[in-house]
Amino acid sequence: MKFIEVEDDLYRYIASQTESIGESASAILRRLLELPPLGEIRVEPSLTADHNLAATVVASPVVSAIKDELAEIKQELVQQPTQQPIQQLCQSSDEFNSLVEHPQVLEQKASIGRFLMILSLLYRQQPQQFANVLNVSGRDRLYFAKDEDTLLASGPSSKPKQIESTPYWVVTNSNNGMKCRILRKALLAMDCSGDVADQIIEQI
Amino acid sequence: MKFIEVEDDLYRYIASQTESIGESASAILRRLLELPPLGEIRVEPSLTADHNLAATVVASPVVSAIKDELAEIKQELVQQPTQQPIQQLCQSSDEFNSLVEHPQVLEQKASIGRFLMILSLLYRQQPQQFANVLNVSGRDRLYFAKDEDTLLASGPSSKPKQIESTPYWVVTNSNNGMKCRILRKALLAMDCSGDVADQIIEQI
DNA sequence: GATATGATCGTAGGGATACTTT
DNA sequence: ACAAAGTATCCCTACGATCATA
């Protein structure tokens, strides 16, 4: 992972292009630059940026559609330039997918950090759906709750921790296998597909 | 200035789009994204569609005309209230300043992490100047070296650690006060001003 | 003394292992 | 009896305050 310095207004511009909640800078830039979403970009120094963009060439019939869109844009400009667009709701599957190889997860040194970060991002993406995790529990221990004491009451040595930037707490004293099982249950409770859940817990 | 994280291949792609020597990431991105070179970009969420439009445009004469029109619209959206002079001062002082409240430093949980991250960023910014830190040492212990054994030889319990993404190692077994003193010496050795150095070590 | 430096060692977090239950 | 899942003890490491030394 690298980082690059950008001027403040450029930063805000990039941030404003976020299409799904919690989207990383890389994902946004890849979309804006029309680059492949994953894997190795083959750097071809002899080509200019325009060439690369032109690589995804579209046939001319599209042009008239583009013109129409242009007209719409102008219309909007004239009418209500400050109007907020309706937040485009993207499907859950995309949101779950964004948790695979998420930079904020990858940068955690320990598995407990990745575990907590994934949960935090999950909440950020779907705060209301996240409540479903309250139904996820073990044999005689709760795994999730909205306060520390509830968890301690059901399992005194569960080492509850608050999930950053959320009102939820989660059990922490477990090996990695158990972390995966807990996380998987939580993901399924939020209607994540089994396949994607498996990819996500792979990161633990 | 802000910092954004990008994946390695994306970073290389952006770097490969450099058109003039020493060009900043911002300048490259502005060109690639067809944004104005300077000043405040007014973020206009209702027009997010226009980028996708531009991205799907083909490299044909008709389309380039449309592109021009698009560029004009974008220009309209841009405010340049104060024609700021080009901030070409990107010299050392700026580079040191960027280490103050740096996001990658702030996200570290422990002081040792912040300590190591600052050093890592320092190296990234000035790899050759960084060699000066080899002159920074304690009474009878070395603080920096290019390998573990050299440090261990001068202080067997110094717990040397490699500074991430650099060929340098640094002593780790010290309290926070000592970490600050070591870091300050290192900064000064690299010609950082005392004031800025103080701000930087404040983060430890 | 007072200050700077070195390194021991107490503490807490993390998670493998061992134990328990189904 | 065996396997698999769940629980929690407890070992290990890292951090860094504190104590020892110059």
Side-chain angles (χ1 to χ4, degrees):
Chain A
M1 203 61 84
K2 303 268 185 186
F3 75 94
I4 57 181
E5 220 177 18
V6 296
E7 282 134 27
D8 287 357
D9 59 330
L10 181 53
Y11 178 87
R12 278 194 298 278
Y13 171 79
I14 294 169
S16 76
Q17 300 304 305
T18 299
E19 281 192 356
S20 61
I21 296 165
E23 196 173 35
S24 71
S26 289
I28 299 169
L29 284 174
R30 281 175 197 278
R31 186 176 58 253
L32 295 182
L33 298 171
E34 280 250 319
L35 296 168
L38 280 176
E40 183 72 14
I41 299 169
R42 200 191 59 182
V43 171
E44 192 56 69
S46 60
L47 295 178
T48 67
D50 279 341
H51 274 95
N52 282 330
L53 290 176
T56 57
V57 161
V58 179
S60 54
V62 180
V63 168
S64 60
I66 294 175
K67 280 185 169 173
D68 289 344
E69 211 169 340
L70 249 174
E72 282 181 27
I73 292 171
K74 285 180 173 174
Q75 197 73 15
E76 287 182 51
L77 245 184
V78 173
Q79 288 178 344
Q80 284 196 339
T82 56
Q83 180 188 8
Q84 291 289 330
I86 297 165
Q87 171 66 37
Q88 175 68 34
L89 288 180
C90 59
Q91 298 91 332
S92 304
S93 66
D94 278 355
E95 298 194 345
F96 287 122
N97 273 314
S98 78
L99 295 178
V100 178
E101 302 201 350
H102 192 291
Q104 300 225 294
V105 175
L106 294 174
E107 84 198 358
Q108 299 296 319
K109 305 196 217 323
S111 66
I112 185 63
R114 294 186 287 276
F115 178 73
L116 291 169
M117 181 57 73
I118 290 171
L119 290 169
S120 179
L121 294 171
L122 257 184
Y123 174 86
R124 201 192 305 182
Q125 293 184 353
Q126 312 200 35
Q128 71 300 331
Q129 274 274 71
F130 195 87
N132 292 0
V133 303
L134 294 175
N135 299 321
V136 175
S137 64
R139 186 179 60 230
D140 41 31
R141 221 171 38 159
L142 289 175
Y143 289 156
F144 294 90
K146 287 200 147 188
D147 63 285
E148 181 174 17
D149 293 337
T150 305
L151 290 182
L152 282 175
S154 77
S157 63
S158 63
K159 301 280 178 65
K161 280 210 178 115
Q162 184 158 22
I163 303 168
E164 195 184 292
S165 310
T166 82
Y168 291 88
W169 291 66
V170 64
V171 140
T172 267
N173 184 7
S174 61
N175 57 36
N176 290 349
M178 181 58 65
K179 287 195 194 85
C180 288
R181 262 169 272 144
I182 293 173
L183 188 53
R184 196 170 195 285
K185 283 188 186 183
L187 286 163
L188 295 182
M190 290 179 70
D191 297 320
C192 177
S193 78
D195 280 354
V196 174
D198 286 335
Q199 286 188 275
I200 292 172
I201 67 177
E202 189 74 21
Q203 300 171 97
I204 298 294
Chain B
M1 283 293 189
K2 300 270 186 184
F3 289 83
I4 58 179
E5 268 184 349
V6 296
E7 284 133 26
D8 288 349
D9 57 333
L10 181 54
Y11 178 87
R12 279 195 298 277
Y13 171 78
I14 295 169
S16 77
Q17 302 303 308
T18 301
E19 282 190 356
S20 59
I21 295 169
E23 200 173 29
S24 72
S26 290
I28 298 168
L29 284 174
R30 282 175 196 276
R31 186 174 60 251
L32 294 181
L33 298 172
E34 300 184 81
L35 296 167
L38 272 179
E40 185 75 11
I41 299 169
R42 199 184 66 181
V43 172
E44 185 48 69
S46 64
L47 290 179
T48 50
D50 80 1
H51 174 80
N52 293 330
L53 183 58
T56 52
V57 155
V58 279
S60 77
V62 182
V63 169
S64 59
I66 296 176
K67 268 190 168 180
D68 289 344
E69 206 170 350
L70 262 174
E72 281 180 25
I73 293 176
K74 281 180 176 168
Q75 207 64 37
E76 290 175 31
L77 290 177
V78 170
Q79 285 183 331
Q80 292 185 332
T82 52
Q83 191 68 281
Q84 291 188 349
I86 299 172
Q87 192 175 10
Q88 193 51 29
L89 281 178
C90 289
Q91 294 306 328
S92 305
S93 66
D94 277 355
E95 298 195 344
F96 287 121
N97 273 315
S98 77
L99 295 178
V100 178
E101 302 201 350
H102 190 290
Q104 302 227 297
V105 175
L106 294 174
E107 85 196 358
Q108 299 296 319
K109 306 196 216 322
S111 66
I112 186 64
R114 295 186 286 276
F115 179 73
L116 290 169
M117 182 58 74
I118 291 171
L119 290 169
S120 179
L121 294 171
L122 256 184
Y123 174 85
R124 203 188 306 190
Q125 293 184 353
Q126 314 198 34
Q128 70 302 329
Q129 274 273 71
F130 195 86
N132 292 359
V133 302
L134 294 176
N135 299 322
V136 175
S137 63
R139 185 181 58 233
D140 42 30
R141 219 170 43 155
L142 289 176
Y143 289 155
F144 294 90
K146 289 200 146 187
D147 63 285
E148 181 175 17
D149 293 338
T150 305
L151 290 181
L152 282 175
S154 77
S157 63
S158 62
K159 299 282 176 63
K161 280 211 177 112
Q162 184 157 23
I163 304 167
E164 196 184 292
S165 310
T166 81
Y168 291 88
W169 291 67
V170 65
V171 141
T172 267
N173 184 8
S174 61
N175 58 34
N176 291 349
M178 181 57 66
K179 286 194 194 83
C180 288
R181 263 170 272 142
I182 293 174
L183 189 52
R184 194 169 198 286
K185 283 188 186 184
L187 286 163
L188 295 182
M190 290 178 70
D191 297 321
C192 178
S193 79
D195 281 354
V196 174
D198 286 335
Q199 286 188 275
I200 291 172
I201 66 176
E202 190 74 22
Q203 300 172 94
I204 297 293

